[in-house]
Amino acid sequence: MGVTLADILGARAVIRGIADGTPFVPSPFMSTLAGQEFFLKLETMQPIGAFKLRGAVNAVAALPRDVAGVTCCSTGNHGRGVAYAAARRGIRAVICMSRLVPQAKVEGVRALGAEVRIVGESQDEAMAESLRICAAEGLVEISPFDDARVIAGQGTVGFEMMEARPDLDTILVPLSGGGLAAGVAVAAKTVSPTIRVIGVTMDRGAAMAASLHAGTPVEVREVASLADSLGGGIGLGNRLSFPLCRALLDDAVLVTEEEIRDAMQMLYFEDRIVAEGGAVVGLAAVHSGKVRAGGGPLATIVTGRNVDMSLFTRIIAGQDVTIGDRTVRGRAYAA
Ligand SMILES: *Cc1c(COP(=O)(O)O)cnc(C)c1O
């Protein structure tokens, strides 16, 4: 259905030595909390600080030799991955982002030599600009999630996890457009059909969760969140990531801003890992009691580390942080 294990194994060969082989480590603290072994897949260790490099490298590698360049819309990390992959190939990259994208992420894209266009107040507006440029300037558009090569690239994360621990019972996947969840679910369920794959996202403005609930892609108003990487629509004409998530995800769980804050603190204090809000939602789901361990080991993908460091240090210090229209109250960390 759209993307198969064979596509993921193909991607694995393409990204080898560039975007693969991140650490997969047990978290003793999370294991105690969950009452089962709990593993972290540290995509924070990717050269761009997020898993998105996998899909981007796989998609860019497939472009024809004479391609003029690439464009995409992004909440920050896909743009960074595409910029990195385009720079390696020596082609032009134009990255469209909305005003909701944090400055730290915009700078990260720029530092890789890509052209940046800031347009509108939502990922959907950035997407419209990306499609316009693609026609006007002869560039190839690379969707952050609704692209078979991107999904296959992201699926390599799941394959690496299953290779290390084929006995995993549950994988918790941060969920936005669903490219990661779709790829991971294809890999994991092909290897182990009984495994649970659960998408986790924020409780405000999560388009995939709302679409799964509605049974068809729907639009949701995008709002600022600590999990900024999880914002944005899935496209009303979604072809691949929605049907795959609908067929393969066992559940979609929502976590609050406070639960995301707690999980960022927990991962930092207990495991000494710096991660962005969107990356810790799998831990938040277990910490909040919204997901319970089944009969075997659990794992989550710590998807990225590209957080604004002044925001991160405020959260760690237990200070209030203002995200868009709302303040998340500070709270000192307590195990
Ligand atoms: C993009 C992203 C996600 C979600 O991936 P999708 O394929 O859009 O569902 C999760 N975490 C981080 C850090 C991301 O950048």
Side-chain angles (χ1 to χ4, degrees), residues 69-224:
V70 288
T71 179
C72 67
C73 64
S74 173
T75 54
N77 286 332
H78 175 64
R80 204 154 166 156
V82 168
Y84 186 99
R88 278 189 91 249
R89 253 194 84 162
I91 58 174
R92 185 176 168 217
V94 183
I95 315 299
C96 304
M97 291 174 280
S98 85
R99 273 184 276 279
L100 283 184
V101 175
Q103 198 54 32
K105 287 203 162 91
V106 174
E107 293 310 329
V109 170
R110 237 185 226 121
L112 291 166
E115 296 162 50
V116 166
R117 311 251 169 112
I118 304 294
V119 271
E121 306 298 329
S122 68
Q123 158 120 316
D124 292 345
E125 285 172 77
M127 188 184 299
E129 175 67 6
S130 171
L131 293 174
R132 191 193 65 76
I133 293 177
C134 145
E137 303 185 24
L139 303 176
V140 175
E141 203 254 346
I142 301 178
S143 164
F145 48 82
D146 204 23
D147 176 295
R149 289 205 168 79
V150 168
I151 294 172
Q154 322 305 33
T156 61
V157 185
F159 190 79
E160 288 177 19
M161 293 164 77
M162 297 309 290
E163 224 179 3
R165 288 300 296 255
D167 61 332
L168 284 178
D169 173 83
T170 305
I171 300 181
L172 300 156
V173 189
L175 176 66
S176 177
L180 178 64
V184 166
V186 169
K189 293 202 166 187
T190 311
V191 174
S192 173
T194 59
I195 196 168
R196 274 198 304 174
V197 181
I198 299 175
V200 189
T201 190
M202 71 283 197
D203 66 353
R204 307 199 312 156
M208 180 61 85
S211 301
L212 291 171
H213 191 74
T216 186
V218 295
E219 272 175 343
V220 162
R221 196 176 73 88
E222 191 172 344
V223 292

Side-chain angles (χ1 to χ4, degrees), residues 19-105:
D20 64 334
T22 51
F24 186 58
V25 297
S27 166
F29 179 82
M30 287 303 296
S31 300
T32 304
L33 192 73
Q36 284 283 357
E37 275 185 292
F38 195 108
F39 291 89
L40 306 173
K41 181 65 169 163
L42 297 180
E43 290 298 300
T44 49
M45 302 303 285
Q46 288 281 2
I48 63 144
F51 74 89
K52 292 263 183 8
L53 190 58
R54 294 173 184 262
V57 167
N58 194 41
V60 166
L63 297 173
R65 192 184 297 271
D66 61 349
V67 67
V70 288
T71 179
C72 67
C73 64
S74 173
T75 54
N77 286 332
H78 175 64
R80 204 154 166 156
V82 168
Y84 186 99
R88 278 189 91 249
R89 253 194 84 162
I91 58 174
R92 185 176 168 217
V94 183
I95 315 299
C96 304
M97 291 174 280
S98 85
R99 273 184 276 279
L100 283 184
V101 175
Q103 198 54 32
K105 287 203 162 91

